[in-house]
Amino acid sequence: MDLLALADFNLVARHGGFGRAARAAGRPKATLSRRVSELEGALALRLFERGARTLTLTEEGRALHERTGMLLAELDETAAAIASGGAKPRGRLRVSAPLLFSQVAMGKLAAEFAVKHPEVRLEVTTDDRAVDMVEEGYDVVIRVNPETDESLVGRVFMRDRLVVVANPALGQPQGNRPVPAVVRGPGGGDGWKVKVPDGRPRIPFEPVLRLSSMIMVRDAVRAGVGAACLPVSLVSHDIAAGRLVHWGDLDGPEIALWTLYPSRRLLSARVSAFLDHLKQAFPQGTPEELAAYVGT
């Protein structure tokens, strides 16, 4: 089997079309089409169903892509590692991170990484959606409580929890009377269930302000507009200084930040270096470490 033709087939399959693959690779569309046709001829199989405007993998094409795509990626990583002189990190590294973590920590993390590894061209983009790592060309994504994806592997590097806080001037919640609340985005319910030693009471609230980021919500709570539910790492310094009062921990699942990357037995040196950098910044992965790191 022609490995170059197989690589071209996987390129087209990954991008979902000859045109997109040609633009991504900077190669002629006609060349890719010819190479895939030659591979189909050599295998005596049809790998794509070709429509007037669509291109879809056949069952055989999908199986070939799933079984050979990662193997070819490992070959590329091995060649890159040898060409770069072994384990020294170098080359382009694309990372996608969620909005809040990017706002409070990624600037400092990226700067420290750039100083430590000057031959790596780090690119960080901010996005809360579930990006397609292969289609969009990311090496690492950072996500909060991600859904299971068999094509990716990862690990938790940070844990956080949600707490309900308010400016001391707001006073403590009284009975079933709703408290004014600052919430992020639309919806958000009408009450918080919080953990306390003698039970799990519900704090009813009425939104008085809706904002699009946690940073904005925290600043509004500091100003005394209302209470809010926020990550403890974002408000622990305010609680310690008496600027905010802790009403309780939210009764619900913890916040787990994961680093995810394609399921490969051989990671590139630059990806490994970035994962190690996160581990060094947050060795225990606690909210207190994150709060200390960003100094909020």
Side-chain angles (χ1 to χ4, degrees), residues 65-174:
H65 178 51
E66 290 175 352
R67 296 178 185 180
T68 63
M70 291 301 176
L71 293 175
L72 289 173
E74 289 184 14
L75 289 174
D76 287 342
E77 294 291 358
T78 301
I82 293 172
S84 65
K88 186 175 182 180
R90 64 176 60 186
R92 186 187 189 199
L93 178 65
R94 298 194 70 222
V95 177
S96 172
L99 176 63
L100 180 59
F101 186 74
S102 296
Q103 288 177 325
V104 300
M106 277 307 299
K108 183 177 179 181
L109 282 167
E112 292 173 344
F113 184 84
V115 171
K116 190 184 301 183
H117 303 288
E119 294 187 51
V120 177
R121 302 189 307 278
L122 178 60
E123 300 175 9
V124 180
T125 60
T126 298
D127 210 325
D128 284 332
R129 66 184 175 88
V131 300
D132 186 322
M133 291 192 66
V134 175
E135 177 70 22
E136 300 178 52
Y138 287 107
D139 300 289
V140 178
V141 297
I142 298 173
R143 285 296 174 265
V144 177
N145 297 343
E147 295 183 1
T148 301
D149 188 333
E150 294 182 355
S151 67
L152 303 177
V153 294
R155 63 193 187 201
V156 177
F157 74 93
M158 175 65 60
R159 298 183 188 275
D160 210 338
R161 67 182 189 277
L162 293 172
V163 295
V164 179
V165 294
N167 188 298
L170 196 63
Q172 292 290 325
Q174 300 295 324

Side-chain angles (χ1 to χ4, degrees), residues 42-56:
L43 297 174
L45 290 172
R46 177 177 292 183
L47 301 176
F48 290 106
E49 294 289 354
R50 296 163 173 83
R53 295 180 178 274
T54 61
L55 185 76
T56 58

